[in-house]
Amino acid sequence: MTLGRLGNVGEEIPVIRHEGRVLDLRSLTADIDGAFLASDGIARARAAAAAGELAELAGAAEMRVGTPIARPGKVVCIGLNYHDHAEETGAAIPAEPVVFMKDASTVGGPFDDVLIPRKSVKTDWEVELGVVIGTEARYVDSPEAALAHVAGYVLSHDVSEREFQLEKSGQWDLGKSCETFNPLGPDLVPADMVEDPQNLGLRLWVNGQQHQNGNTSAQIFSIAYVIWYLSQYMVLRPGDVINTGTPAGVALGIEGQPYLRDGDVVELEIDGLGRSRQTMVQA
């Protein structure tokens, strides 16, 4: 069972995919959001599907695939969290997680267009494992206790504008928070359906050419450690998203730096979490 949202922007219908069928969740919730996750919504949806209490959504195959959760309260990102990515960018291996925030309004559907910002010449790609928080995490006792706060996992594209990020104010946020810069999905996969989030393959192609091929086992700071660490400095609330870093193969680290241009097509996938595809469009 996975969860998603289908329909036009602002009119998405919450659904679950269960045994080959797309089931309408509106009898249980108005949306897949923090309140739904905090109220044990995934377990309730699973039980309702098993009991045959949810109607099949007519026309689901023709509907736009939206982001699998409604706009999160915040998107927290971890930079330089793979050894090979830090090395390709010339950065030192961080002693502690590199933390930055991304405007939550950047989150969009997995097949929506991505806008290349005006004046941008260095728009870059990054495939990442996204972690969706299910229960409030505040001063978590230890990394070992951290994964209990996870609702599920999702494929995330942390689009970045490198000039804005690295050559402007000194704050990464400018290059991370441009409109449409975080396609998410297609589905939210419940945590108990991901056997080992620390052993997932991540891959990315641009115009059919593969550039990224990594595994979450190569992270410098594990998912559990990142959640624990963040909880010491901020409250993580249901529906919040954590982007956990990208492996090597971004344009910044490739000879010639082939940054994204109008018309380029980026395809991404993570083992068990699905595949997404975005076309780059000049803003």
Side-chain angles (χ1 to χ4, degrees), residues 178-198:
C178 304
E179 185 179 11
T180 72
F181 261 29
N182 203 157
L184 208 63
D187 292 338
L188 172 62
V189 179
D192 62 5
M193 295 186 66
V194 177
E195 183 176 353
D196 183 2
Q198 217 58 69

Side-chain angles (χ1 to χ4, degrees), residues 77-100:
C77 304
I78 306 299
L80 304 173
N81 198 30
Y82 286 75
H83 291 276
D84 56 3
H85 176 56
E87 291 167 1
E88 74 173 345
T89 62
I93 301 300
E96 294 192 30
V98 176
V99 180
F100 61 92

Side-chain angles (χ1 to χ4, degrees), residues 95-174:
E96 294 192 30
V98 176
V99 180
F100 61 92
M101 308 292 283
K102 193 163 186 142
D103 181 357
S105 70
T106 61
V107 171
F111 305 104
D112 294 347
D113 291 342
V114 169
L115 299 178
I116 296 176
R118 296 179 184 180
K119 302 182 180 180
S120 167
V121 294
K122 296 182 179 181
T123 295
D124 206 346
W125 58 81
E126 293 189 9
V127 60
E128 305 204 8
L129 174 65
V131 177
V132 179
I133 297 298
T135 58
E136 191 168 88
R138 175 191 282 107
Y139 297 115
V140 176
D141 290 338
S142 66
E144 291 73 24
L147 293 184
H149 295 278
V150 176
Y153 300 95
V154 66
L155 171 60
S156 181
H157 188 183
D158 176 18
V159 188
S160 308
E161 211 299 341
R162 302 302 188 188
E163 181 183 6
F164 299 176
Q165 176 189 354
L166 302 173
E167 302 173 32
K168 295 292 185 180
S169 69
Q171 301 295 322
W172 286 17
D173 302 51
L174 291 182

Side-chain angles (χ1 to χ4, degrees), residues 4-283:
R5 298 164 73 244
L6 302 177
N8 296 329
V9 176
E11 301 175 347
E12 291 91 345
I13 295 170
V15 301
I16 62 170
R17 303 182 192 278
H18 179 72
E19 297 181 347
R21 303 167 69 212
V22 179
L23 304 179
D24 191 333
L25 275 179
R26 285 177 292 181
S27 62
L28 285 183
T29 182
D31 213 340
I32 298 173
D33 53 16
F36 170 77
L37 297 174
S39 64
D40 209 17
I42 293 177
R44 290 188 292 112
R46 181 177 283 147
E53 298 171 354
L54 302 176
E56 192 159 358
L57 181 65
E62 289 75 45
M63 300 176 76
R64 167 186 171 268
V65 180
T67 174
I69 59 169
R71 182 181 295 183
K74 57 181 173 289
V75 178
V76 190
C77 304
I78 306 299
L80 304 173
N81 198 30
Y82 286 75
H83 291 276
D84 56 3
H85 176 56
E87 291 167 1
E88 74 173 345
T89 62
I93 301 300
E96 294 192 30
V98 176
V99 180
F100 61 92
M101 308 292 283
K102 193 163 186 142
D103 181 357
S105 70
T106 61
V107 171
F111 305 104
D112 294 347
D113 291 342
V114 169
L115 299 178
I116 296 176
R118 296 179 184 180
K119 302 182 180 180
S120 167
V121 294
K122 296 182 179 181
T123 295
D124 206 346
W125 58 81
E126 293 189 9
V127 60
E128 305 204 8
L129 174 65
V131 177
V132 179
I133 297 298
T135 58
E136 191 168 88
R138 175 191 282 107
Y139 297 115
V140 176
D141 290 338
S142 66
E144 291 73 24
L147 293 184
H149 295 278
V150 176
Y153 300 95
V154 66
L155 171 60
S156 181
H157 188 183
D158 176 18
V159 188
S160 308
E161 211 299 341
R162 302 302 188 188
E163 181 183 6
F164 299 176
Q165 176 189 354
L166 302 173
E167 302 173 32
K168 295 292 185 180
S169 69
Q171 301 295 322
W172 286 17
D173 302 51
L174 291 182
K176 296 288 188 172
S177 290
C178 304
E179 185 179 11
T180 72
F181 261 29
N182 203 157
L184 208 63
D187 292 338
L188 172 62
V189 179
D192 62 5
M193 295 186 66
V194 177
E195 183 176 353
D196 183 2
Q198 217 58 69
N199 186 25
L200 296 175
L202 310 88
R203 291 165 290 276
L204 180 145
W205 298 259
V206 179
N207 299 327
Q209 180 179 357
Q210 187 169 17
H211 286 293
Q212 292 188 277
N213 185 9
N215 192 286
T216 56
S217 62
Q219 289 181 340
I220 297 169
F221 302 103
S222 71
I223 298 157
Y225 185 91
V226 164
I227 295 169
W228 167 80
Y229 181 89
L230 292 174
S231 78
Q232 308 307 305
Y233 299 96
M234 65 185 76
V235 179
L236 300 172
R237 294 187 168 87
D240 287 350
V241 174
I242 303 171
N243 286 331
T244 58
T246 198
V250 300
L252 176 65
I254 298 174
E255 184 177 357
Q257 297 184 329
Y259 290 112
L260 294 166
R261 297 290 183 262
D262 183 57
D264 285 345
V265 175
V266 181
E267 296 174 273
L268 314 87
E269 69 178 15
I270 296 180
D271 294 343
L273 302 187
R275 191 176 177 103
S276 68
R277 182 182 188 273
Q278 298 101 42
T279 299
M280 302 296 122
V281 176
Q282 182 62 53

